[in-house]
Amino acid sequence: MILGGTTEARELASRLAGDTRFETVISLAGRTADPRPQPVETRIGGFGGAEGLAAFLIAEEVALVVDATHPFAARISHNAAAAAKAAQVRLLALRRPEWQAEAGDAWTGVGSVAEAVTTLGDAPRRVFLAIGRQEAFHFEAAPQHSYVIRSVDPVTPPLKLPDATAILATGPFAEADEIDLLESHHIDIIVAKNSGGAATYGKIAAARKLGIAVIMVERRKPADVPSVGDCDTALERIDHWLSPA
Ligand SMILES: NC(=O)c1ccc[n+]([C@@H]2O[C@H](COP(=O)([O-])OP(=O)(O)OC[C@H]3O[C@@H](n4cnc5c(N)ncnc54)[C@H](OP(=O)(O)O)[C@@H]3O)[C@@H](O)[C@H]2O)c1
């Protein structure tokens, strides 16, 4: 079973879809109103915490869980680690590598979105929020700033902020388009999550070119889980762990 919601999860599912040695199921949280169709059997919705997930793994006789959830979906990954241990099921994490700061980057690392809010400071800034919609509410605590907030689905309930522009868009986002966006909105600081991967890196490269500061929210995933960084390595590990030979 692949815990999904990411491009990597979908790619892994596509590559396992034709493999008759395995029955592959992908699990989605059901957050996105109109999810892209998946190439394998799909179940949607939460399991009811780590206990519910453990019960599901046992009932469905799952042999392997691949946690390919988004780098910032922390709760499901902690649940997966606890459930796999309780149900004695193998767990493999598929996590894209984090972005690393390069020469010319002006990043301030923070441990949470709430910390990003205080790091913006008291003086009004023009902020591009590229952290998804679920944690955008934290910025209601800092109404002195102007915000451009980009998300796939609308932020609900609408944010109580005097100056906020919503942009609904789905990546990938090209660097040249990100430069246009940052310049046209006169952005002077970006709040981003260190998601890794190419699809949303455009804004980071654009910030470097334009000399714009980035408050980078770092990940908080469980550390003690066998982990791979790409689909090829995940497939090798699955083959090694699950092949009868
Ligand atoms: N957080 C992000 O920035 C982000 C960005 C892009 C995509 N996503 C995707 O959106 C989904 C939800 O993210 P989140 O940040 O809300 O997760 P989360 O905070 O880690 O998880 C919250 C709860 O949602 C359920 N859940 C999460 N992922 C699930 C999955 N793949 N299958 C079934 N249930 C799942 C679980 O409910 P129960 O406890 O009831 O099992 C979990 O406890 C994930 O699949 C993730 O890959 C997240």
Side-chain angles (χ1 to χ4, degrees):
M1 179 167 73
I2 302 168
L3 296 172
T6 57
T7 310
E8 290 79 6
R10 204 166 179 282
E11 185 192 337
L12 184 64
S14 314
R15 295 188 51 188
L16 287 169
D19 193 326
T20 52
R21 294 172 302 166
F22 311 123
E23 264 176 62
T24 306
V25 175
I26 193 161
S27 172
L28 302 177
R31 294 279 189 284
T32 308
D34 186 16
R36 292 172 67 190
Q38 300 286 333
V40 296
E41 184 189 332
T42 306
R43 67 161 301 288
I44 294 183
F47 298 94
E51 279 180 22
L53 178 52
F56 181 93
L57 297 179
I58 293 166
E60 297 294 323
E61 297 180 14
V62 173
L64 170 70
V65 177
V66 180
D67 174 10
T69 56
H70 188 269
F72 280 87
R75 193 163 2 134
I76 185 68
S77 294
H78 285 281
N79 288 351
K85 202 169 179 187
Q88 297 196 308
V89 171
R90 279 188 194 268
L91 173 64
L92 178 67
L94 170 53
R95 310 210 195 294
R96 52 182 108 131
E98 288 176 303
W99 299 317
Q100 303 295 330
E102 293 180 14
D105 284 329
W107 296 6
T108 302
V110 294
S112 67
V113 171
E115 196 185 332
V117 177
T118 51
T119 304
L120 282 174
D122 294 333
R125 312 287 304 260
R126 295 194 58 84
V127 186
F128 177 42
L129 277 194
I131 54 153
R133 70 193 169 104
Q134 293 190 66
E135 294 187 87
F137 69 89
H138 286 286
F139 292 87
E140 288 184 342
Q144 71 274 28
H145 307 299
S146 301
Y147 295 95
V148 173
I149 303 165
R150 182 169 68 196
S151 54
V152 176
D153 292 308
V155 179
T156 49
L159 295 176
K160 293 187 208 79
L161 284 168
D163 185 358
T165 303
I167 297 177
L168 296 185
T170 307
F173 301 105
E175 182 182 329
D177 296 334
E178 299 292 61
I179 288 177
D180 284 350
L181 184 141
L182 295 171
E183 285 188 325
S184 63
H185 290 277
H186 308 288
I187 297 297
D188 61 50
I189 193 160
I190 298 173
V191 181
K193 290 176 167 175
N194 194 335
S195 301
T200 59
Y201 189 70
K203 61 180 177 278
I204 306 300
R208 185 184 310 129
K209 288 236 166 88
L210 298 174
I212 293 175
V214 177
I215 297 178
M216 187 66 84
V217 184
E218 304 298 346
R219 304 177 181 184
R220 280 183 299 172
K221 286 279 199 182
D224 55 347
V225 170
S227 189
V228 294
D230 58 66
C231 269
D232 284 341
T233 321
L235 286 164
E236 276 169 27
R237 193 69 70 91
I238 292 166
D239 204 43
H240 182 66
W241 280 356
L242 296 186
S243 288

